[in-house]
Amino acid sequence: MTDFFEDKIAERLGGINFGKSTAIYKFELIKRAKAAAKLARPDVMLIDMGVGEPDWPADDIVVKTLAREAGKPENRWYADNGIPEFQEAAAEYLERVYGVKGLVPSEHIVHGIGSKPVLAMLPVCFINPGDVMLTTVPGYPVSATYTKYLGGEVYNLPLLESNSFLPDLDSVPKEIRKKAKLLYLNYPNNPTGAVASREFFRKVVDFASENGIVVVHDAAYGALTYDGYKPLSFLSVDGAMDVGIEVHSLSKAFNMTGWRIGFVCGNSKAVKAYATVKDNTDSGQFRAIQKAAVSAFENTDITFKTIEKYSRRFNMLVDALNEAGFNARKPKGSFYCYVKAPEGTRDGKKFNTASGFSEYLIRAALISTVPWDDAGKYVRFSVTFEADTLQEEKNVINEMKRRLKSLSLKF
Ligand SMILES: Cc1ncc(COP(=O)(O)O)c(C=O)c1O
């Protein structure tokens, strides 16, 4: 029988070639390597340093709010573009945590079902065929993928250690600037853990206004900061509200990944454009979840407790990695430690890519990481590994260190 769908799939998904590619994507490779390693050595614990979400569940306060609100008849309706209580609490949160003043909740803030769908919808608001989106690599690819779906082009800005993992905006050629419509940034950054400075954000505002480019700042990890670096909002910089918007999430700072709640804030016209696309895409997050999110905003201790745990784990992780030969530094934000992959091992193995090293690490030592080969060979260790007590944290790190050292890695 002929395949009815053979010629039905849109070109943006590959057209008639859809589903025929034999390329195996990074996360699938990791999944397969993990499964094979567990099968080969069922008695050895897999140390998963690759996880990109919190190990703690949502706080009791938040869970109880949801439990209380879930059954109330007034919460049953489609929530459309959201409830005012959420917008007001988000504005108050931005002022308290980030010092962003003067936001009008009904004009400058609209919720999203997590920040991922927000990042998918924003290109729909701005990208016409042929427009360019500037994006940092390595990074979270959702807006770039949608830009391509819409017939736009993506111009990559590599995040290099030599530039503190900030993009070099001066390097963008004139003809690209002319076609550029969007600039996607993400600080604290996934995967590098780098943070932005106020000075960098000022430069971004100048670059955006000179070239007529809308800035989308992804602040998914915004509140997770360490060692004196304070949460920094792009919107707190003069002129930012004129050129951009910021996307926030409760996933990481409040341990609420599965709850699917975030918001966009900033320039009112841009927010209105998002609200228009959103209104034609979904019917809003369940009001009880929005109300639970309000209780999270009012209890930022949840974030402080989380930061304390991650900070402690980073201290242990960085020491352990350095003892095994890596050049690790504690980041100022996010929950990721991004380190250069070794060249090989002292007994002659060579790693041509970070992916190759990461796969070897799973098979040889049952340690899972996430590799990045977009701008140098790096692997990402996350401090969200499973450990219920301080002693367990120490055990995991010590065992990871022992295994890494036994590999005699060469850098
Ligand atoms: C940089 C970045 N942005 C956005 C997201 C999406 O977060 P959520 O959709 O849970 O708000 C993630 C998730 O890992 C991320 O790493």
Side-chain angles (χ1 to χ4, degrees):
M1 205 180 110
T2 55
D3 178 5
F4 175 80
F5 280 97
E6 175 79 16
D7 59 352
K8 303 293 183 290
I9 305 294
E11 291 304 326
R12 69 178 67 88
L13 295 188
I16 58 163
N17 292 318
F18 175 73
K20 291 185 185 156
S21 165
T22 51
I24 306 170
Y25 293 102
K26 181 167 77 181
F27 289 99
E28 181 56 29
L29 260 179
I30 296 171
K31 216 163 95 185
R32 288 187 192 181
K34 268 164 109 170
K38 273 199 233 169
L39 204 66
R41 296 160 75 186
D43 49 318
V44 184
M45 175 187 74
L46 184 115
I47 300 177
D48 199 343
M49 292 286 170
V51 189
E53 47 184 313
D55 58 309
W56 276 350
D59 195 271
D60 259 3
I61 294 172
V62 179
V63 174
K64 284 193 178 125
T65 309
L66 174 63
R68 206 172 49 242
E69 297 293 332
K72 289 188 181 168
E74 69 266 28
N75 288 332
R76 74 185 185 281
W77 312 105
Y78 289 127
D80 298 329
N81 278 344
I83 56 172
E85 296 97 299
F86 178 90
Q87 290 166 300
E88 283 152 21
E92 200 270 328
Y93 171 77
L94 284 174
E95 175 155 2
R96 194 161 23 89
V97 175
Y98 294 89
V100 179
K101 294 198 175 77
L103 290 173
V104 180
S106 60
E107 269 182 42
H108 295 134
I109 295 174
V110 172
H111 86 289
I113 303 181
S115 58
K116 187 175 187 175
V118 176
L119 293 168
M121 288 180 218
L122 289 175
V124 182
C125 303
F126 301 108
I127 296 292
N128 288 322
D131 286 345
V132 168
M133 172 186 155
L134 310 174
T135 192
T136 53
V137 285
Y140 198 66
V142 173
S143 294
T145 301
Y146 266 77
T147 294
K148 289 185 218 155
Y149 283 172
L150 295 161
E153 287 161 35
V154 174
Y155 184 85
N156 290 335
L157 298 163
L159 297 182
L160 304 173
E161 205 161 344
S162 55
N163 201 35
S164 312
F165 299 114
L166 297 170
D168 177 8
L169 299 173
D170 297 331
S171 73
V172 182
K174 242 199 202 122
E175 63 278 12
I176 297 293
R177 290 177 194 222
K178 269 195 211 141
K179 293 203 284 175
K181 195 74 162 296
L182 274 185
L183 166 63
Y184 168 83
L185 297 170
N186 160 230
Y187 292 99
N189 183 257
N190 173 14
T192 67
V195 293
S197 61
R198 196 166 277 284
E199 188 194 357
F200 170 72
F201 277 157
R202 273 197 208 108
K203 202 169 170 176
V204 171
V205 170
D206 290 345
F207 176 81
S209 31
E210 275 160 28
N211 295 291
I213 298 169
V214 174
V215 179
V216 173
H217 180 236
D218 176 352
Y221 299 85
L224 296 176
T225 63
Y226 312 99
D227 300 340
Y229 178 87
K230 295 267 180 300
L232 177 65
S233 166
F234 174 65
L235 300 178
S236 69
V237 171
D238 279 350
M241 286 284 283
D242 298 330
V243 296
I245 44 178
E246 190 159 76
V247 185
H248 284 262
S249 172
L250 280 88
S251 290
K252 323 283 171 163
F254 294 104
N255 305 313
M256 291 170 70
T257 40
W259 294 57
R260 311 314 301 136
I261 185 83
F263 63 94
V264 65
C265 55
N267 184 278
S268 57
K269 191 154 193 176
V271 169
K272 200 169 176 175
Y274 160 71
T276 303
V277 174
K278 182 185 173 304
D279 208 20
N280 284 290
T281 306
D282 65 55
S283 299
Q285 183 50 282
F286 183 31
R287 284 159 201 248
I289 289 182
Q290 293 189 53
K291 289 181 182 172
V294 170
S295 72
F297 288 141
E298 289 167 351
N299 288 280
T300 33
D301 266 8
I302 299 168
T303 307
F304 298 143
K305 273 190 277 179
T306 307
I307 287 174
E308 201 185 354
K309 175 187 67 176
Y310 292 156
S311 183
R312 176 179 73 222
R313 290 182 177 192
F314 267 131
N315 292 338
M316 293 190 259
L317 175 70
V318 165
D319 285 350
L321 290 175
N322 286 336
E323 271 191 55
F326 289 90
N327 184 11
R329 261 186 298 163
K330 186 178 177 184
K332 292 269 190 252
S334 82
F335 42 59
Y336 303 120
C337 187
Y338 185 70
V339 285
K340 214 173 235 162
E343 290 302 322
T345 61
R346 272 190 227 121
D347 61 12
K349 255 176 212 72
K350 268 193 128 2
F351 306 124
N352 294 325
T353 60
S355 287
F357 167 63
S358 187
E359 219 181 317
Y360 170 79
L361 207 51
I362 295 174
R363 291 187 199 279
L366 275 96
I367 299 171
S368 175
T369 57
V370 178
W372 303 85
D373 283 295
D374 311 63
K377 296 183 275 180
Y378 287 83
V379 284
R380 191 190 78 183
F381 287 77
S382 176
V383 287
T384 54
F385 57 85
E386 299 258 348
D388 286 338
T389 61
L390 180 58
Q391 192 53 50
E392 274 182 44
E393 285 177 8
K394 287 184 184 163
N395 294 348
V396 170
I397 296 286
N398 283 335
E399 178 60 14
M400 182 202 73
K401 179 168 75 180
R402 191 190 65 73
R403 292 187 199 175
L404 284 175
K405 285 172 92 170
S406 76
L407 298 176
S408 298
L409 299 170
K410 207 171 105 195
F411 289 84

